[in-house]
Amino acid sequence: MNTGTQHPRGLYTLFFTEMWERLSYYGMRALLVLFMVAPAEKGGLGIDEKVAAAIYGLYTAGVYLSALPGGWIADRLLGAQRAVWVGGILITIGHFTMAVPLRETFFLGLVFIVVGTGLLKPNISALVGQLYPEGGARRDAGFTIFYMGINLGAFVGPLVCSALGEKVNWHYGFAAAGVGMVLGLVQFGITRSYLGEAGREPAHRSDTVGRDWMLIGGVSVAGAVVVGLALAGVLVINPVLLAKGAAYVITMLAVLYFAWVFQFGKLTGVEIRRVAVIAILFVASALFWAGYEQAGSSLNLFAKEYTVLAIQSLNVELPAGWFQSVPAFFVIAFAPVVAHGWVLLNRRGVSVSLPAKFAFGLILLAVGFLVVAIGSKRALTTGPVLPTWLVATYFFHVLGELLVSPVGLSSVTKLAPQRLVGQMMGVWFLATSLGNLLAGIYAGDVSGANAAAMPVGFMQVFYFAGGVGLLLLLCAKPIRNLMKGVE
Ligand code: GLN
């Protein structure tokens, strides 16, 4: 029995599993774009930057989009524990597939990771919640610890994978990500019993198990055929067009979903207002991630092309991907500071509303882009600039993240009508997915052959994110009124 502030042992099982999973995810992601754009003589795929950024967008969007079926499968068929296990196995297969130095295995590996992460990521978070059936402050504290696990992995992953991938051989970097996930699986297997009954069985076991499995089988076979045809070159896919098409489809899905809920969801007056708030925050969240997740695309290319990486006194050149660890480091360093800040503000009777937090998040994101816009403008005239520009950019982005990300999920659980919480959470993941996709599409437009596009592109993000942030700040009060009763 756990009392007081002591946490269930299962939290540590989940903490370390997610740490290893994020280590593999962010470790590989640090290499992804750099590997694709590297010329063949440097072991890369020699893909154009615009196309590489679109593939990055499709892949990272896919990872979050597959959380929808992943959650559904766990809820109805597998239970969260087994979904995490199977997901981890698929992710491992994906990374090791990428370790094989062929173009085809690279893309096949990405597909495995998308499917595996869809099974693992939403369900491991749900398991954290289930360890604290009573909810409340202890659960919040549990999630904070869990978020540290995420970022510990996100910090170490790029350090290891980039050192190996960029400096020795790209495929060693991918294999290292696979080793990380294997360690996560071993650890999960050994300590799984700490989870007890949490997520052992499906939350709402399906009445139509056979039919559900047939559906999954059918979709998997259809998916395998499409992937097979694409890899064989029979089906020619244009990643830039596909990414743009996918962005429209995801946006339409979200619009239709909200229209449907408003029209047919039998919402009461209060519920209509609260769901309207979720819809507004959905837009803010998608926009935030569209800027933030350029860490792995345009900002990664900025690190590679426009940042001084050489430390002359030591006669070494840092891997560009090491900068991918900086945001995670800032999260670990500043999450406790920000959390303490809220407590202090509360004590003084100041409470910052949810829309205001999102507004400040967007404004901080904008400031980060202003910094990197100036940095890249300088780089164009003077050559590569000091790493401080990128580090300062990530500093502002992480402060923004700490305002947006931790409150996002919990606010949906509070604002959504109880009977719709599950689907609203799914829709919330759509915003992250859309954001990642836009981060890829946009990065493709600002990087690439035309170097002058970078500062102009970053300035556009500054104006847009800053403008929307200010607008949201102006509307914070009326939005707060819509929320009535939810803090
Ligand atoms: N960095 C967090 C994670 O990896 C959140 C990422 C996101 O929601 N875009 O879980």
Side-chain angles (χ1 to χ4, degrees), residues 22 26 64 121 147 150-151 289 293 401 405 432 436:
R22 290 286 96 181
Y26 285 106
Y64 289 99
K121 183 97 166 108
Y147 210 68
I150 288 180
N151 284 287
W289 295 119
E293 299 290 9
E401 175 187 1
S405 187
T432 311
N436 275 273

Side-chain angles (χ1 to χ4, degrees), residues 55-81:
I55 295 172
Y56 169 89
L58 283 166
Y59 163 69
T60 51
V63 159
Y64 289 99
L65 198 58
S66 64
L68 291 179
W72 182 82
I73 289 173
D75 274 355
R76 294 175 64 93
L77 299 164
L78 288 181
Q81 283 193 23

Side-chain angles (χ1 to χ4, degrees), residues 301-354:
L301 290 168
F302 177 81
K304 176 85 191 152
E305 290 162 15
Y306 297 118
T307 304
V308 177
L309 297 171
I311 306 178
Q312 246 128 37
S313 54
L314 298 176
N315 203 14
V316 289
E317 190 175 302
L318 301 179
W322 276 15
F323 285 94
Q324 301 290 301
S325 294
V326 173
F329 172 78
F330 281 147
V331 171
I332 296 168
F334 291 111
V337 180
V338 171
H340 190 64
W342 295 134
V343 176
L344 288 184
L345 281 177
N346 254 331
R347 256 189 230 150
R348 285 163 197 239
V350 184
S351 74
V352 183
S353 72
L354 196 58

Side-chain angles (χ1 to χ4, degrees), residues 164-223:
L164 280 169
E166 285 182 54
K167 296 294 171 193
V168 186
N169 180 317
W170 297 107
H171 300 279
Y172 293 176
F174 297 141
V179 171
M181 195 63 246
V182 169
L183 293 174
L185 275 173
V186 170
Q187 182 277 137
F188 184 75
I190 294 174
T191 60
R192 186 170 166 175
S193 59
Y194 294 170
L195 295 171
E197 286 309 307
R200 196 193 284 276
E201 296 300 325
H204 321 279
R205 190 183 288 282
S206 166
D207 307 324
T208 52
V209 174
R211 222 175 51 198
D212 289 359
W213 279 119
M214 292 237 301
L215 177 69
I216 294 167
V219 172
S220 307
V221 171

Side-chain angles (χ1 to χ4, degrees), residues 28 70 73 88 104 115 121 128 131 209 215 232 242 252 283 311 345 377 394 421 429 432 457 465:
M28 190 284 273
I73 289 173
E104 290 77 11
V115 179
K121 183 97 166 108
V128 176
L131 291 178
V209 174
L215 177 69
L242 185 63
M252 281 315 293
V283 177
I311 306 178
L345 281 177
K377 203 169 168 73
Y394 285 139
V421 171
F429 271 110
T432 311

